[in-house]
């Protein structure tokens, strides 16, 4: 019966035309619906489809670390750290590196691994590492897909000085909250960490105080630049699509530098304070933690929210008074990592996606230990230095349950931290620099308002967030240490424009801090 009906339709020319017209219209509507759906999906997911089908791409090479011998990699391995669009590893599985040797050129395929292996991510650009084993007698390495030229890679070697614990801090910008940074340096140093800071901009007097500390290292951390020859549109600034000052790249850069020399590496923000509980110092703490979790490559210490008090006047300031004034808010937030560097090849601040086979990421229970997140600041009119208060620290109470009888620090440690700090800022040139620290914050209130809007309020959670979205005015006359950098572009690699950081350094100025 159905076949007979179809035959009747196709016998009449008018009905044939009508049938074809209906089919074409339905096909058109379906195609429009699919395209509209894909367009909406792409717009909601940071244009990942657009980036995937794009013919050409940009990458920005930040560093290339060469390991002659390694606990993590085969002999003569190089690791390239770079930024690109979040689908780059789906389009390209390797980068072609040419190693020039005395016997001739050797091509090596460097395997690409995303540092943040999460799609869609809320930022369009993310960090990657590319790993390859090169000839031991190489003279130079270059990214190239032709036999004529290439982008020569600037090689560095990892640090060799043994360190038990290294703290790699997320990049600092417009930094003037000396009350926080000085406390961070003193507390982490006291418990046995070597501190590595990445800085984009900081008031000069604070910069000098941190730099002169023998237990710290400061590296310039520039915003990235892509040249005029590029795949992206001329108006595109990749810094607006990198998460929080490209912090995952900074964390991975730090890990790569200390991979061979550190036993443990921790990745906090400067306002995250960890006091050892499982031992007297960080080394004992982390040794015990990894004994608790023997299959761990990384362990997450969660954050517990706190409020603290401090002084605006250097003469009345005490770093340990921050901890003695702690009030717990009963709230827990995202954790920060400590890793065994030989078990992890890259890291984000909250998670590692590159833990070696056989290991995993574990979470330390909050009631065992947690970071104190110094989130809410108060600056009372009265002095905050009070020996009686320092000698009577509050109890650790992350859940507001009064369930523990453990104080937030040992009194003997608190007194030692206070004494060491006073000796440090009373010494020679440091005394005059310390006395000049500002009583009024210019940048911090502006950043706090901006971050409450773009981050802590949890609004627009699916969009990229960073200081580039904050409206920061200029402050002429303010002495700041900023970062100057230079990038070069190579445009003859097949379908990829390569932009490489070739130099970066600090420069002092008197027109305020820059992003």
């Amino acid at each position: 019966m159905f076949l007979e009906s179809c035959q009747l339709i196709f016998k009449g020319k008018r009905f044939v035309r009508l049938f074809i017209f209906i089919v074409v219209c339905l096909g058109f509507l379906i195609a429009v619906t699919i395209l509209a759906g894909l367009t909406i999906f792409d717009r909601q997911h940071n244009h990942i489809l657009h980036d995937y089908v794009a013919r050409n791409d940009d990458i920005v090479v930040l560093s290339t670390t060469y390991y002659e011998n390694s606990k993590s990699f085969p002999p003569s391995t190089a690791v390239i750290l770079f930024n690109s669009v979040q689908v780059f590893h789906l389009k390209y599985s390797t980068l072609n590196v040419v190693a020039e040797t005395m016997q001739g050129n050797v091509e090596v395929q460097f395997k690409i691994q995303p540092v943040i292996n999460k799609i869609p991510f809320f930022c369009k650009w993310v960090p990657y590492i590319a790993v390859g084993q090169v000839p031991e007698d190489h003279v130079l390495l270059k990214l190239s897909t032709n036999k004529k030229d290439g982008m020569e890679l600037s090689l560095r070697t990892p640090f060799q000085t043994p360190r038990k614990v290294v703290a790699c801090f997320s990049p600092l910008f417009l930094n003037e909250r000396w009350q926080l940074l000085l406390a961070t340096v003193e507390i982490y140093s006291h418990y046995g960490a070597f501190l590595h800071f990445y800085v984009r901009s900081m008031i000069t007097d604070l910069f000098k105080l941190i730099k002169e500390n023998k237990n710290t290292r400061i590296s310039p951390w520039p915003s990235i630049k892509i040249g005029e020859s590029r795949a992206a549109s001329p108006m595109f600034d990749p810094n607006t699509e990198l998460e929080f000052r490209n912090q995952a790249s900074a964390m991975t850069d730090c890990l790569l530098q200390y991979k061979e020399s550190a036993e443990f590496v921790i990745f906090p923000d400067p306002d995250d304070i960890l006091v050892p509980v499982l031992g007297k110092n960080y080394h004992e703490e982390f040794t015990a933690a990894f004994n608790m979790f023997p299959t761990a490559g990384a362990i997450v210490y969660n954050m517990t929210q706190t409020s603290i008090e401090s002084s605006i006047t250097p003469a009345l300031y005490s770093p340990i008074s921050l901890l003695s004034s702690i009030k717990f808010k009963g709230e827990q937030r995202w954790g920060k990592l400590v890793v065994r560097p030989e078990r992890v090849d890259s890291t984000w601040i909250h998670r590692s996606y590159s833990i070696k086979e056989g290991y995993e990421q574990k979470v330390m229970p909050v009631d065992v230990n947690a970071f104190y997140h110094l989130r809410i600041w108060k600056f009372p009119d009265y002095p905050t230095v009070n020996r009686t208060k320092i000698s009577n620290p509050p109890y650790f109470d992350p859940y507001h349950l009064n369930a523990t009888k453990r104080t937030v620090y040992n009194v003997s440690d608190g007194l030692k931290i206070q004494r060491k700090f006073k000796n440090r800022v009373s010494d020679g040139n440091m005394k005059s620099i310390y006395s000049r620290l500002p009583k009024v914050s210019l940048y911090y209130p502006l950043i706090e308002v901006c971050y409450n809007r773009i981050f802590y309020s949890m609004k627009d959670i699916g969009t990229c967030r960073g200081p580039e979205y904050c409206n920061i005015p200029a402050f002429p006359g303010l002495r700041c240490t900023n970062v100057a950098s230079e990038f070069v572009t190579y445009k003859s690699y097949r379908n990829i424009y390569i932009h490489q950081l070739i130099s970066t350094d600090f420069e002092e100025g008197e027109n305020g801090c820059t992003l």
Side-chain angles (χ1 to χ4, degrees):
M1 192 71 178
F2 175 76
L3 292 175
E4 292 178 358
S5 300
C6 290
Q7 288 174 358
L8 289 173
I9 291 174
F10 284 104
K11 284 181 180 179
K13 293 183 179 180
R14 185 173 59 182
F15 291 107
V16 169
R17 289 196 297 268
L18 179 60
F19 179 76
I20 294 173
F21 176 76
I22 292 172
V23 169
V24 170
C25 289
L26 285 174
F28 178 76
L29 288 173
I30 292 171
V32 169
T33 302
I34 292 174
L35 288 173
L38 289 174
T39 301
I40 294 171
F41 174 86
D42 202 32
R43 192 174 299 163
Q44 290 176 339
H45 295 83
N46 278 337
H47 301 283
I48 56 176
L49 298 178
H50 174 271
D51 289 336
Y52 185 77
V53 300
R55 179 178 176 80
N56 298 314
D57 290 283
D58 294 292
I59 71 170
V60 177
V61 176
L62 300 170
S63 64
T64 305
T65 311
Y66 174 69
Y67 301 86
E68 184 176 0
N69 294 290
S70 173
K71 296 180 290 185
S72 304
F73 304 113
S76 194
T77 291
V79 181
I80 304 170
L81 174 64
F82 67 96
N83 292 122
S84 190
V85 293
Q86 62 176 310
V87 293
F88 186 83
H89 63 295
L90 302 179
K91 302 173 69 173
Y92 311 90
S93 61
T94 61
L95 288 176
N96 194 67
V97 173
V98 175
E100 292 189 5
T101 72
M102 299 300 292
Q103 288 72 40
N105 292 349
V106 178
E107 290 192 7
V108 181
Q109 298 300 311
F110 276 47
K111 184 179 179 182
I112 296 171
Q113 304 172 25
V115 172
I116 303 175
N117 194 10
K118 179 181 179 181
I119 292 180
F121 191 58
F122 52 80
C123 293
K124 294 179 184 178
W125 274 50
V126 296
Y128 296 87
I129 57 172
V131 183
Q133 190 175 12
V134 299
E136 292 183 4
D137 62 342
H138 67 272
V139 178
L140 63 83
L141 304 177
K142 59 184 180 182
L143 287 166
S144 177
T145 51
N146 63 65
K147 297 181 179 180
K148 297 180 181 179
D149 58 8
M151 170 69 83
E152 181 178 347
L153 295 168
S154 300
L155 301 184
R156 69 181 186 187
T157 55
F159 296 125
Q160 298 299 324
T161 302
R163 310 280 185 191
K164 289 185 176 181
V165 178
V166 173
C168 298
F169 290 90
S170 56
L172 303 176
F173 66 102
L174 308 179
N175 196 272
E176 62 179 353
R177 182 54 64 85
W178 55 268
Q179 295 92 337
L180 169 61
L181 210 55
L182 294 181
T184 300
V185 170
E186 293 299 329
I187 294 169
Y188 274 88
S189 295
H190 174 76
Y191 291 115
F194 180 80
L195 294 81
H196 192 126
F197 290 103
Y198 286 84
V199 172
R200 187 170 291 182
S201 57
M202 180 183 292
I203 59 171
T204 298
D205 286 333
L206 178 57
F207 181 87
K208 290 180 178 179
L209 285 174
I210 303 301
K211 186 179 180 181
E212 290 300 317
N213 192 307
K214 295 180 181 179
N215 204 47
T216 66
R217 178 180 281 120
I218 304 180
S219 294
W221 189 245
S223 57
I224 68 172
K225 300 174 184 175
I226 54 179
E228 292 183 1
S229 297
R230 54 166 67 184
S233 68
M235 301 302 293
F236 176 67
D237 178 7
N239 296 286
T240 63
E241 287 297 339
L242 284 167
E243 183 223 17
F244 288 119
R245 311 165 307 286
N246 205 6
Q247 68 174 356
S249 294
M251 301 294 93
T252 298
D253 183 80
C254 199
L255 172 66
L256 293 173
Q257 293 193 80
Y258 291 99
K259 232 177 183 310
E260 306 306 315
S261 58
E263 292 186 45
F264 303 100
V265 183
I266 186 172
F267 299 94
D269 282 316
D271 59 355
D272 301 327
I273 300 296
L274 185 69
V275 175
V277 171
L278 303 176
K280 296 179 181 178
N281 52 51
Y282 290 135
H283 186 258
E284 292 182 4
E285 167 85 17
F286 299 145
T287 299
F290 279 87
N291 285 338
M292 288 174 59
F293 304 109
T295 61
I299 296 176
V300 178
Y301 280 75
N302 285 314
M303 297 191 305
T304 183
Q305 301 287 74
T306 69
S307 64
I308 66 276
E309 294 181 353
S310 189
S311 174
I312 62 172
T313 305
L316 301 177
Y317 170 74
S318 162
I320 201 63
S321 70
L322 295 181
L323 298 189
S324 67
S325 69
I326 272 184
K327 290 183 174 59
F328 291 92
K329 311 305 289 184
E331 302 172 9
Q332 320 310 317
R333 289 292 179 94
W334 314 272
K336 303 295 174 65
L337 297 185
V338 56
V339 306
R340 290 283 300 270
E342 72 276 11
R343 300 178 182 179
V344 175
D345 290 340
S346 66
T347 189
W348 187 34
I349 197 168
H350 300 299
R351 178 180 176 182
S352 174
Y353 292 90
S354 188
I355 298 175
K356 290 184 178 295
E357 186 176 355
Y359 298 101
E360 57 189 329
Q361 183 165 306
K362 292 289 190 177
V363 179
M364 179 66 68
V366 172
D367 57 353
V368 175
N369 204 358
F371 280 104
Y372 308 149
H373 186 205
L374 310 184
R375 174 73 181 89
I376 301 171
W377 287 74
K378 298 177 182 179
F379 295 94
D381 294 333
Y382 54 84
T384 59
V385 180
N386 186 315
R387 187 179 179 87
T388 301
K389 192 174 182 181
I390 291 174
S391 300
N392 291 278
Y395 288 111
F396 178 70
D397 189 19
Y399 292 111
H400 273 186
L401 298 175
N402 296 318
T404 71
K405 295 299 181 183
R406 185 179 88 223
T407 56
V408 296
Y409 61 85
N410 291 327
V411 174
S412 60
D413 287 324
L415 295 175
K416 288 177 183 177
I417 290 170
Q418 179 68 12
R419 184 169 62 252
K420 289 177 184 177
F421 171 74
K422 284 299 182 184
N423 291 338
R424 198 185 312 279
V425 297
S426 299
D427 183 33
N429 188 43
M430 293 297 100
K431 183 176 182 179
S432 61
I433 296 174
Y434 177 68
S435 65
R436 293 200 303 263
L437 291 174
K439 296 182 180 180
V440 177
S441 294
L442 298 176
Y443 293 114
Y444 195 91
L446 300 175
I447 293 297
E448 185 175 35
V449 169
C450 179
Y451 269 34
N452 282 337
R453 173 176 56 85
I454 68 174
F455 180 59
Y456 290 113
S457 68
M458 304 300 287
K459 294 179 180 178
D460 298 324
I461 192 65
T463 59
C464 197
R465 303 177 295 274
E468 288 77 15
Y469 291 93
C470 300
N471 296 317
I472 306 298
F475 291 103
L478 179 64
R479 295 174 61 245
C480 270
T481 298
N482 298 302
V483 173
S485 59
E486 183 179 358
F487 290 77
V488 294
T489 298
Y490 173 70
K491 56 184 179 180
S492 296
Y493 193 101
R494 188 183 305 115
N495 296 335
I496 299 174
Y497 292 89
I498 302 170
H499 316 274
Q500 183 177 204
L501 174 66
I502 60 169
S503 68
T504 183
D505 205 351
F506 292 111
E507 61 179 15
E508 292 185 18
E510 296 187 357
N511 289 308
C513 296
T514 62
L515 289 172

